[in-house]
Amino acid sequence: EYNPENISIDTFNRMLSNPQVWAGLQLIKMPIISQNWTIESDDDKDIAECIEALLKPVWHNLISSTLTAIEYGFSVHEIVYRNKPYGGSVKVFPHKFKSLYPEWINIKLDEYENFDGIIQTWEGNDIIVPKEKVFIFTNNKGSSFGNLFGTSRFYLGSRASK
């Protein structure tokens, strides 16, 4: 896989141990994490209520872990589904978005270079997670020409420290 940064996750982790870097990240993340939100629909209030019921239990953890893309360039989650009663029937809902450590992830692309899931390396084993079970967030994807590894906010700082 091509990652234009070629800076190790360990380097980013060392940068996170700096109190000023950590405080700067909090200034970026906290206004986003602390936002109140609702789902509204002019057409179907049941859909709005269903989506809100789906997201409320997982929102804080999902947003917090998604924003790790700021420091690593991308964040990856495995979507874990569960059956839950809703509106008189049982529906399949995301139960949680399991945050995956970036160093363990290889992004799979199909023959047209479209996202096709991930390969997670865990204890020497490769675990293939299909695209239907993956939520990936890329920081600055547009400015990195579609590179799903994105661009870390630390990129310039890590290069300057060399």
Side-chain angles (χ1 to χ4, degrees), residues 10-74:
D10 187 52
T11 299
F12 291 143
N13 287 339
R14 283 195 312 273
M15 292 175 79
L16 276 171
S17 68
N18 180 300
Q20 289 178 322
V21 170
W22 184 85
L25 278 173
Q26 298 314 302
L27 284 171
I28 295 167
K29 293 178 179 185
M30 283 302 129
I32 299 167
I33 292 170
S34 64
Q35 286 295 308
N36 291 322
W37 58 274
T38 59
I39 303 291
E40 298 177 7
S41 172
D42 293 334
D43 299 327
D44 192 335
K45 293 192 186 299
D46 288 338
I47 290 174
E49 288 174 10
C50 182
I51 292 171
E52 196 162 315
L54 166 91
L55 291 176
K56 283 278 186 197
V58 298
W59 186 256
H60 180 78
N61 288 337
L62 175 62
I63 292 301
S64 297
S65 61
T66 297
L67 291 176
T68 61
I70 294 169
E71 57 261 30
Y72 296 110
F74 70 107

Side-chain angles (χ1 to χ4, degrees), residues 137-155:
F137 179 78
T138 303
N139 190 49
N140 289 335
K141 180 179 174 190
S143 64
S144 62
F145 301 100
N147 173 30
L148 291 171
F149 286 105
T151 305
S152 167
R153 276 278 180 102
F154 292 172
Y155 181 64

Side-chain angles (χ1 to χ4, degrees), residues 78 118-122 125-129:
E78 180 179 356
I118 62 166
I119 301 171
Q120 177 186 9
T121 302
W122 174 254
N125 298 309
D126 287 343
I127 302 164
I128 297 172
V129 183

